[in-house]
Amino acid sequence: MDGNVAPLDLICKLANDYDALVMVDDCHATGFLGKTGRGTEEHFNLMPGSVDIINSTLGKALGGASGGYTTGPIELVHLLRQRARPYLFSNSLPPPVVACASKVFDLLMGADGFAEKIRENTIRFRSKMTEAGFTISGDPHHPICPVMLGDARLAAVFADEMLDRGIYVISFSYPVVPKDKARIRVQMSASHRFEDIDRTVEAFTQVGKRLGVIE
C-alpha cells in the first residue's frame, strides 16, 4: 500500500546469524522489482536461494487474473501439496489464466526490457511529482507511488477530478490505510509512455493547485 521495500538483505543476514528461515510474500514485487523483475531478492542482488520460501501471486504484474504460487525446498512443496487447504480444496486454475501467467514469465525472461521500462517510468513520475510539490511515499524505485493527501474527503474529490481529466486513479482512506493517511495510489506500468506520465503529472498539478494541495 505504501510502496515500501523490506530491507531483505539485512533480514537474510540476521536469519543467517541465527540459523533461521526467511519467507517472503512478494506479491507487490514479482514481475517488476529487480533488474529482470524477479522480485525483492533480485532487487537486493542476493544470491538465488538466500530466501528459503517465496509466496507470490499470478495476479497483479503477472496478468492481473487469479491464482498464486509458493516456491521453496522440495520437502516443503510436498508438504503443501498434502496439507495446504487452498491447494487441496480449491478448483484448478482455468487454462487461460495459466497460459497468461506463463506468457508473462516468458516476456520477463526475454530481452524486451519490461522491468527496466517500469523503473524508468517510476523515476520519471516520482521525480516530476516531487518537483511539483507533492509528497510521494515509499521506496524511490517502487512503481506503487502513493500521493499523500491526508484527508479522506480531499482524496476522493481529487480522484474524481482526475477522472474528469481522463486520468483514472484510486483514492484510499481509512480503514484501508491509517487515519489521516489518505492518499491516491498511482501504479506505474511498462506500457506507459513518457507522454502519459507527463500528462498525468500535469493533471495532478492542475487539480492540486485548484484544491490547495500545492501552490
Side-chain angles (χ1 to χ4, degrees), residues 38-187:
R38 284 172 166 82
T40 312
E41 190 177 37
E42 184 182 53
H43 176 72
F44 284 102
N45 297 314
L46 296 173
M47 291 293 293
S50 297
V51 176
D52 300 282
I53 304 168
I54 297 178
N55 187 70
S56 196
T57 178
L58 297 179
K60 296 183 171 65
L62 300 187
S66 62
Y69 61 89
T70 300
T71 65
I74 189 63
E75 295 83 2
L76 172 72
V77 173
H78 289 325
L79 177 64
L80 291 177
R81 283 175 173 164
Q82 299 300 320
R83 301 298 296 272
R85 294 181 64 84
Y87 183 86
L88 292 173
F89 302 113
S90 297
N91 291 330
S92 298
L93 290 176
V97 172
V98 177
C100 177
S102 179
K103 182 61 178 179
V104 173
F105 279 120
D106 290 340
L107 293 172
L108 288 172
M109 300 300 177
D112 295 307
F114 288 106
E116 181 180 355
K117 177 60 176 173
I118 292 177
R119 283 195 298 276
E120 292 175 353
N121 287 346
T122 297
I123 292 172
R124 189 179 186 90
F125 178 78
R126 283 180 171 272
S127 62
K128 283 182 171 290
M129 286 290 285
T130 300
E131 290 172 5
F134 290 96
T135 299
I136 312 299
S137 180
D139 185 275
H141 295 97
H142 204 298
I144 294 177
C145 306
V147 182
M148 305 304 293
L149 298 175
D151 182 75
R153 177 62 182 164
L154 172 63
V157 171
F158 204 117
D160 288 341
E161 294 209 11
M162 290 291 289
L163 187 59
D164 290 340
R165 288 166 170 75
I167 307 294
Y168 180 56
V169 290
I170 300 295
S171 65
F172 287 89
S173 57
Y174 181 83
V176 179
V177 296
K179 289 183 177 180
D180 302 321
K181 295 291 184 179
R183 79 281 306 269
I184 290 178
R185 191 173 73 166
V186 178
Q187 295 170 216

